[in-house]
Amino acid sequence: MKKIESGTKFSSIDEIIKPRFAGKKVKLRGWVHRQRSGKKIAFIVLRDGTDILQCTAKKSELSEEKYEEFCNIKYESSIIVFGTLEKDDRAPNGYELHIENFEIIHLAETFPISKDQSEAFLLDIRHLWVRSQKLTQSARVKAKLMEGARNFFKKQGYLEVWPPIITGSSCEGGSTLFELDYFGKPAFLSQSAQLYLETLIFAHKKVFALTPSFRAEKSRTTRHLAEYWHLEAEAAFLDLNGIMDLEDELVTAMIHKVARDEKKSLISLGRKPKDLLEIKAPFERIRYDEAIDIINSKGVKIEWGEDFGTGHERALTKDLKSPIHVTHFPRQIKAFYMKTLDGKTAECNDLLAPEGFGEIIGSSQREEDIKIITENLLRDGSDIADYEWYLDLRRYGSVQHSGFGLGIERVMRWVCNLEHIRDTIAYPRVMNRSTP
RNA sequence: GCAGGCAUAGCUUAGUUGGUAGAGCGGUCGGCUGUUAACCGGCAGGUCGCAGGUUCGAUCCCUGUUGCCUGCGCCA
């Protein structure tokens, strides 16, 4: 491997593929994304982490040996190229580099990924497939979504906090937790930071957190991960309508940020930025009862008291352009911490993404009545002793409060128009895969 | 967890109503080309997932097993 001389000025592709750089000399370094060579002229498509650029080498402009070396460069070799940038409609993105000199940093072995690949194979060699256009674009979109979210929370006065990942008790139901050996005692990987965020609002009033959440559910679907990134917020003094307002503005801020700053990636993933910009808070809100009627009217059967399945969510959102809230689900099918006003329904809401993508947020106003919480815990067969610390929150300065959890990868799947949630994350953890 | 499907070269696959197999890509050698994972020709590359069974003979039929994929349930 050759050392790169220190002090050398390199450009990045995204900053030079602009009209004002046409005719200018530039030095780039990156990886060979594509390579084609002939007798007199050869091409490589260079990828440098910011964009791709076609580079052209002519035999007449390089020495015989240099040209041959250029023709023998293999995919994914790392390389330094030097030359003049030109506008050229024959190049993939309208610009190309006319190579005057180049230096191979590392000549790659034959890259195992070629034209035809199966999903299973791409998961096996994920550590190399992360270099693909699809995964790099999706990664950029994700970063922008989070940037949009953080900006939004900051503006709203929410403090970012870091709850624990290892926990001693569950949040909702014990069967879906990953158990681990914690110095000889059982502990669990967190599946939601909610209960901890509830403790923290008494210190900070309004908090949010981005944490990994773990679900040991043996789900086999295109929208479940065993490890996913969970964006959760909790706010004191907020009721159900207040938290829904916040969710709508958050989601709007996130998708608008991406639509403005990551246009190319979105387009290439199959999502028009303009369509995202047309989606604006507040989103439509319907009650569970109305949703039941709508779903039934679309020919998909559901009875009052049933939770939504995939088919129900799809029927409800397939023809929508904007997300929609479904509120006030039956209390019996919802978690122990959700508030009830009428004893029958919960002050909760699910935010469903349009076009059939389904649930992206689960949210509720929290129950303050310690008796009802206890009742609910007993209903679920939980051990009250495990929740004493949580019940303390209702003993010392209890206030009305609400919060929600948003699945980043779920939002990603919708925003990037992706068939499978695994392409929203570099290393998807699903039921039967934990490597690479 | 339930239901269905698949497993043949490095990758993507065709095929054999049971007589041990072809192709494309990739590799390699050569030709051609301002190419867009281009095209043309030569060559190399396969104990047909694994273990049993039936059979003169199994990659093909049967049983088991493992891995993977899809759908459902569960959820974000």
Side-chain angles (χ1 to χ4, degrees):
Chain A
M1 226 195 269
K2 281 186 187 170
K3 284 248 156 58
I4 304 162
E5 336 131 41
S6 58
T8 311
K9 269 254 181 174
F10 290 97
S11 305
S12 64
I13 296 173
D14 66 339
E15 63 188 28
I16 60 159
I17 49 172
K18 288 167 185 162
R20 66 194 161 93
F21 281 95
K24 295 263 164 56
K25 297 228 190 267
V26 293
K27 200 167 188 176
L28 299 168
R29 57 186 164 183
W31 294 266
V32 176
H33 184 62
R34 297 279 182 272
Q35 197 268 358
R36 295 173 285 275
S37 57
K39 257 279 180 288
K40 292 176 225 156
I41 186 162
F43 307 89
I44 62 162
V45 176
L46 188 75
R47 174 176 59 74
D48 81 342
T50 68
D51 210 327
I52 57 167
L53 179 68
Q54 173 163 286
C55 304
T56 311
K58 287 184 178 154
K59 197 175 192 173
S60 55
E61 290 165 13
L62 290 171
S63 70
E64 189 102 359
E65 303 86 62
K66 265 300 203 194
Y67 184 75
E68 192 169 326
E69 190 188 358
F70 191 82
C71 292
N72 289 325
I73 295 173
K74 298 210 176 181
Y75 282 18
E76 294 303 323
S77 294
S78 42
I79 185 177
I80 294 170
V81 293
F82 174 73
T84 311
L85 188 79
E86 298 290 357
K87 210 166 164 18
D88 197 314
D89 293 336
R90 292 169 297 189
N93 55 9
Y95 289 90
E96 66 176 27
L97 185 76
H98 290 231
I99 290 180
E100 287 162 31
N101 201 359
F102 70 92
E103 185 186 328
I104 294 169
I105 304 168
H106 177 250
L107 188 62
E109 294 176 28
T110 302
F111 201 59
I113 303 172
S114 61
K115 193 162 71 177
D116 303 305
Q117 320 101 354
S118 61
E119 287 297 344
F121 179 65
L122 293 179
L123 288 167
D124 287 340
I125 43 88
R126 194 72 168 186
H127 55 294
L128 301 176
W129 185 236
V130 292
R131 305 177 187 195
S132 68
Q133 294 291 94
K134 188 180 190 179
L135 289 187
T136 52
Q137 284 156 353
S138 123
R140 279 192 210 133
V141 169
K142 194 181 216 168
K144 279 294 168 199
L145 281 176
M146 270 316 298
E147 197 181 320
R150 283 209 163 88
N151 291 348
F152 171 79
F153 277 125
K154 193 179 172 188
K155 230 187 278 173
Q156 298 290 319
Y158 280 69
L159 185 73
E160 182 163 13
V161 293
W162 286 270
I165 304 303
I166 299 174
T167 63
S169 60
S170 62
C171 173
E172 25 192 303
S175 62
T176 62
L177 289 159
F178 283 104
E179 193 174 332
L180 58 96
D181 179 346
Y182 191 72
F183 304 112
K185 284 184 183 164
F188 307 93
L189 292 178
S190 168
Q191 54 179 206
S192 168
Q194 183 199 315
L195 303 189
Y196 291 98
L197 295 191
E198 284 190 59
T199 70
L200 290 167
I201 59 164
F202 294 90
H204 308 294
K205 189 165 83 174
K206 301 192 281 189
V207 298
F208 79 99
L210 177 69
T211 60
S213 271
F214 303 89
R215 303 279 163 107
E217 280 158 354
K218 297 189 171 173
S219 351
R220 260 225 65 92
T221 75
T222 56
R223 70 207 100 80
H224 285 84
L225 292 167
E227 175 186 275
Y228 68 95
W229 287 86
H230 210 166
L231 181 62
E232 293 171 278
E234 197 73 27
F237 311 116
L238 228 51
D239 66 1
L240 183 65
N241 279 319
I243 200 72
M244 283 195 277
D245 290 343
L246 185 77
E247 292 163 20
D248 293 1
E249 282 161 32
L250 168 69
V251 170
T252 304
M254 290 171 80
I255 65 176
H256 284 197
K257 180 73 180 166
V258 176
R260 283 191 300 264
D261 293 0
E262 212 42 70
K263 288 197 185 74
K264 265 176 118 171
S265 296
L266 283 175
I267 291 164
S268 124
L269 286 163
R271 172 68 68 195
K272 290 184 189 138
K274 199 180 121 247
D275 292 350
L276 291 180
L277 289 171
E278 277 168 13
I279 298 172
K280 280 178 191 142
F283 305 141
E284 194 185 349
R285 295 167 192 186
I286 60 169
R287 294 178 67 97
Y288 172 84
D289 307 40
E290 299 170 65
I292 293 289
D293 292 343
I294 295 170
I295 293 165
N296 277 312
S297 78
K298 303 230 171 181
V300 182
K301 277 199 172 168
I302 183 165
E303 280 177 38
W304 202 96
E306 273 184 74
D307 207 350
F308 290 178
T310 312
H312 305 128
E313 279 186 4
R314 197 174 296 133
L316 194 58
T317 65
K318 214 180 74 181
D319 304 320
L320 297 178
K321 291 241 161 115
S322 274
I324 184 170
H325 290 280
V326 181
T327 69
H328 299 92
F329 282 71
R331 185 187 155 198
Q332 292 305 313
I333 56 171
K334 286 294 178 181
F336 73 91
Y337 49 73
M338 292 184 180
K339 188 176 178 66
T340 179
L341 289 177
D342 57 10
K344 197 178 162 203
T345 63
E347 292 295 297
C348 69
N349 71 283
D350 282 1
L351 184 64
L352 309 179
E355 301 168 29
F357 283 99
E359 186 174 355
I360 53 176
I361 285 180
S363 159
S364 71
Q365 186 172 337
R366 316 309 190 189
E367 183 60 69
E368 297 131 55
D369 188 326
I370 201 163
K371 271 189 207 141
I372 296 178
I373 297 180
T374 310
E375 211 176 280
N376 289 344
L377 282 168
L378 291 171
R379 171 198 77 189
D380 296 346
S382 302
D383 187 350
I384 303 295
D386 287 345
Y387 292 89
E388 277 303 331
W389 65 273
Y390 179 70
L391 296 174
D392 268 353
L393 304 180
R394 274 63 176 172
R395 295 181 178 119
Y396 306 104
S398 182
V399 290
Q400 166 179 292
H401 65 288
S402 302
F404 66 86
L406 174 152
I408 296 286
E409 286 80 10
R410 289 273 179 92
V411 175
M412 279 285 292
R413 197 168 82 91
W414 161 49
V415 167
C416 296
N417 200 21
L418 290 166
E419 191 89 12
H420 205 295
I421 198 162
R422 65 180 156 224
D423 293 323
T424 65
I425 188 163
Y427 293 99
R429 294 300 181 234
V430 293
M431 194 171 37
N432 45 20
R433 192 178 286 276
S434 55
T435 57

